[in-house]
Amino acid sequence: MTNYCLNHDDSHPTQLTSADIILRQQLENSISTYFYDACDRTIQNLLSICRWYVITCANAMTLVIECPDQITNWRVLQKIVPMATVLGEIISSAKIRVCPPTNLGMPFEMRVDELSVYREGNR
């Protein structure tokens, strides 16, 4: 078995600094703006009804959409393929999580790299 040793400078920090947190927030805000601007008017109007935001954890980015009611949740789910297409052009390792209103079901989550499965299902 081969043992690899990392120089202390090459290892990941154990705790985030305030600069790390600020940079992550700026990245999330920039991606949110870029995503929203790239969406068509229908999706923008739908997002304006919901609470939505981008979060980054480790190497994954997730677009979270919290729907205020079941009708909006259904409309968002119907637009998930075009939203994933836009998001996939920004970052290919992203996910979308659609959250229904509290106590009305489980969140639906898909990775944008799974997009071909959903497109084939619509044929």
Side-chain angles (χ1 to χ4, degrees), residues 45-66:
N45 290 339
L46 194 53
L47 290 171
S48 70
I49 299 169
C50 303
R51 178 175 184 254
W52 66 277
Y53 49 93
V54 170
I55 56 172
T56 53
C57 295
N59 293 332
M61 189 208 71
T62 305
L63 168 64
V64 179
I65 305 170
E66 297 177 358

Side-chain angles (χ1 to χ4, degrees), residues 7 25 37 51 57 73 80 97 101 111 116 119:
N7 182 337
Q25 289 171 339
D37 291 345
R51 178 175 184 254
C57 295
N73 187 73
I80 199 163
R97 181 181 306 134
R111 297 187 330 249
S116 62
R119 284 188 180 143

Side-chain angles (χ1 to χ4, degrees), residues 3-122:
N3 290 328
Y4 295 99
C5 295
L6 290 176
N7 182 337
H8 179 68
D9 292 337
D10 294 336
S11 63
H12 294 287
T14 55
Q15 188 169 354
L16 294 176
T17 66
S18 58
D20 294 328
I21 294 168
I22 291 169
L23 287 172
R24 185 180 67 210
Q25 289 171 339
Q26 289 175 343
L27 174 65
E28 291 169 355
N29 289 338
S30 295
I31 291 171
S32 295
T33 300
Y34 191 76
F35 168 75
Y36 184 82
D37 291 345
C39 290
D40 65 26
R41 179 62 70 196
T42 304
I43 293 174
Q44 288 178 349
N45 290 339
L46 194 53
L47 290 171
S48 70
I49 299 169
C50 303
R51 178 175 184 254
W52 66 277
Y53 49 93
V54 170
I55 56 172
T56 53
C57 295
N59 293 332
M61 189 208 71
T62 305
L63 168 64
V64 179
I65 305 170
E66 297 177 358
C67 301
D69 55 56
Q70 282 295 92
I71 294 170
T72 304
N73 187 73
W74 178 247
R75 290 176 58 208
V76 168
L77 289 172
Q78 289 178 314
K79 293 292 184 180
I80 199 163
V81 170
M83 285 190 283
T85 301
V86 171
L87 192 58
E89 292 172 4
I90 299 168
I91 183 165
S92 61
S93 61
K95 298 185 291 185
I96 299 177
R97 181 181 306 134
V98 180
C99 303
T102 306
N103 299 326
L104 292 178
M106 297 293 297
F108 175 79
E109 188 169 289
M110 73 170 278
R111 297 187 330 249
V112 297
D113 63 0
E114 298 175 325
L115 195 53
S116 62
V117 172
Y118 292 91
R119 284 188 180 143
E120 290 173 9
N122 290 333

